[in-house]
Amino acid sequence: MQVSNMVLQVVKIENTNRKSATHFALCSGLHLRYLIDLDGGAKRLSENISTYSKKLSLLMQFINIIPFPILNLMKLGYFVKAELNKEVETCRQNIQKKHWNMIVGTYDEKQKIVLQCFNASENADFIKIGNAATEKEMNAEISFLQQKRVYSTFDIPQLLGSISRADGATFNIQITKEFVGDKVEPILTQEIVEIYKELSKDKKNGLEFSHGDFAPWNLKRNGDKYTLFDWEHCGYRMPGFDLMHYATIVKKVLNGKELSEAFDEGLKNIHQCLPYFAIEKEDFLKEFEKLRTQIS
């Protein structure tokens, strides 16, 4: 099992036997992806995780139907004793949640960690943890959530608290109420267009307010209500950017299209909902590539 420096900073992990373990370390290949609390963590995690990766989706199905000892024999994970960094542990204690799962972000220099903290019969809270590499993005999201904006077509996460490295902490930490819901299918619908329309009503100096990473994997649907999350790249951008981003990123990431072709196909999909939508392709592609470099 391979873990990153970020993971090592946040949690101390010791391989052990089933009797002494606190968590099961579920891996994707050699990389640790999830730490699952042995007391109810599998159900909690599978209820919240909505991934578009076939491999990770399969792992989520496994933890619901296959006992941990079998997953261990299949070499899909290991029994471990996990102990949180004192700073993070204090945050967990402050929100009075006994159990926790860990979701390990993409393995790159901007990796973040999310804890899903829960009690048996209560809603969970999220603790998002980042270091210096993601300080700008996390501060942008915290600043946005502190405004407590209210939208009619979607909700935003409820911020419970935050900690900043600027104040001497080891990490930047953001605590929110857990947002639940089903995975949003990766297609452009009129409902998605309406979310974009409401978000983009905020205009300044010829630009409009933008989520920045508007995509189906940053949305959850609960009944007829959506929650739009991960506001780390929000700001003012060229008109139409978010909607064009949504249509393009699905074609590029999930369908494997080259960027220019993804734009063209995405624009055709938008025109089915908004026939008069127009955006300058070259300018959009420059902004898109600049943003994706920041995200990755």
Side-chain angles (χ1 to χ4, degrees), residues 244 248 258-269 281:
M244 194 69 245
T248 300
E258 293 295 330
L259 181 54
S260 179
E261 184 181 3
F263 174 94
D264 293 340
E265 292 190 10
L267 187 59
K268 289 180 182 179
N269 288 345
K281 181 176 181 178

Side-chain angles (χ1 to χ4, degrees), residues 193-216:
V193 172
E194 294 305 316
I195 291 174
Y196 157 73
K197 284 182 177 180
E198 182 174 14
L199 182 60
S200 63
K201 286 180 181 178
D202 181 0
K203 302 183 187 299
K204 182 184 294 185
N205 299 326
L207 304 176
E208 61 187 31
F209 192 69
S210 159
H211 176 275
D213 194 14
F214 192 42

